[in-house]
Amino acid sequence: SQTIHQWPATLVQPVGSPLSLECTVEGTSNPNLYWYRQAAGRGLQLLFYSVGIGQISSEVPQNLSASRPQDRQFILSSKKLLLSDSGFYLCAWASRYEAFFGQGTRLTVV
Amino acid sequence: GQSLEQPSEVTAVEGAIVQINCTYQTSGFYGLSWYQQHDGGAPTFLSYNGLDGLEETGRFSSFLSRSDSYGYLLLQELQMKDSASYFCAVHDKIIFGKGTRLHILP
């Protein structure tokens, strides 16, 4: 069966520091991969999605970037974090019909 | 662009039935799905409608009308554990609504 791993679960970072969140998928090949961000009590904002290695679509202009160096690896990065980057970050892979989420990373920028 | 509208909050009584509506505007529509999210957790998939009509999965059902750009999630025999946020989402590129917070009263 397919599983998705995302880490770390929580992260506290100072303003101006870099960020790297990693997500890996097992049990499927060439998955469509997504990064979402969720502010407290809010909806899921699509940040990036990828249909294949090196293919990244950015949905919202922001202080973040994404990369897909391997088929089942998706990385979310920032060179310098802002306070507004705080939130719950969720990685997902999707079939045609449903999305499967990782456990999420709760990022607090201080 | 794409937009989805769903009520921000709904309150119902334990054992009752509740319907959460979702209207959408999108290009390249392939289907509508529903997710449940408990506080502090990740969303989990509930159902998907690719064609018009009703899909039933246990206590949960979902409906789609493509001509009306409208769908709903129906929850029956409500239990306290159903207290959560519910999101509709449109495919192909999966875009989520802002979510409906379901409060269940004993």
Side-chain angles (χ1 to χ4, degrees):
Chain A
S1 63
Q2 304 89 351
T3 57
I4 180 166
H5 303 279
Q6 183 184 345
W7 66 92
T10 59
L11 192 60
V12 180
Q13 292 285 101
V15 169
S17 64
L19 173 73
S20 181
L21 300 180
E22 187 168 343
C23 171
T24 59
V25 180
E26 295 178 357
T28 185
S29 59
N30 198 28
N32 290 339
L33 297 174
Y34 295 77
W35 278 110
Y36 294 91
R37 178 170 62 198
Q38 186 176 35
R42 305 291 296 275
L44 285 77
Q45 179 187 33
L46 177 61
L47 301 177
F48 301 95
Y49 78 99
S50 172
V51 298
I53 296 174
Q55 300 179 63
I56 309 294
S57 294
S58 174
E59 293 300 303
V60 181
Q62 59 212 328
N63 184 41
L64 302 168
S65 62
S67 61
R68 186 169 177 175
Q70 301 180 43
D71 181 45
R72 287 172 283 183
Q73 183 184 31
F74 204 21
I75 298 172
L76 183 71
S77 303
S78 173
K79 293 182 179 179
K80 290 185 178 182
L81 284 169
L82 306 172
L83 287 174
S84 58
D85 291 324
S86 293
F88 190 40
Y89 288 82
L90 289 153
C91 177
W93 81 268
S95 69
R96 183 173 180 84
Y97 308 109
E98 63 183 292
F100 302 88
F101 286 86
Q103 67 172 352
T105 297
R106 198 161 303 279
L107 171 66
T108 304
V109 182
V110 297
Chain B
Q2 292 149 317
S3 67
L4 297 93
E5 295 292 331
Q6 52 181 125
S8 59
E9 291 186 86
V10 172
T11 300
V13 178
E14 189 176 15
I17 300 172
V18 71
Q19 179 174 312
I20 299 174
N21 298 321
C22 175
T23 58
Y24 60 87
Q25 286 185 310
T26 183
S27 57
F29 178 82
Y30 287 89
L32 187 73
S33 57
W34 290 89
Y35 295 79
Q36 179 191 61
Q37 185 182 30
H38 286 99
D39 287 346
T44 56
F45 172 81
L46 293 176
S47 69
Y48 173 84
N49 295 74
L51 301 173
D52 286 359
L54 192 68
E55 293 285 340
E56 298 179 80
T57 308
R59 294 187 298 115
F60 293 0
S61 303
S62 58
F63 172 82
L64 176 65
S65 169
R66 295 172 72 115
S67 59
D68 295 323
S69 298
Y70 163 76
Y72 66 73
L73 178 70
L74 191 72
L75 296 82
Q76 302 181 72
E77 301 173 17
L78 285 171
Q79 303 174 9
M80 296 304 294
K81 67 178 183 179
D82 297 329
S83 295
S85 293
Y86 293 84
F87 296 87
C88 58
V90 292
H91 297 232
D92 184 32
K93 181 175 59 177
I94 303 177
I95 304 295
F96 284 79
K98 294 183 178 179
T100 299
R101 181 81 182 189
L102 174 60
H103 303 279
I104 299 176
L105 304 176

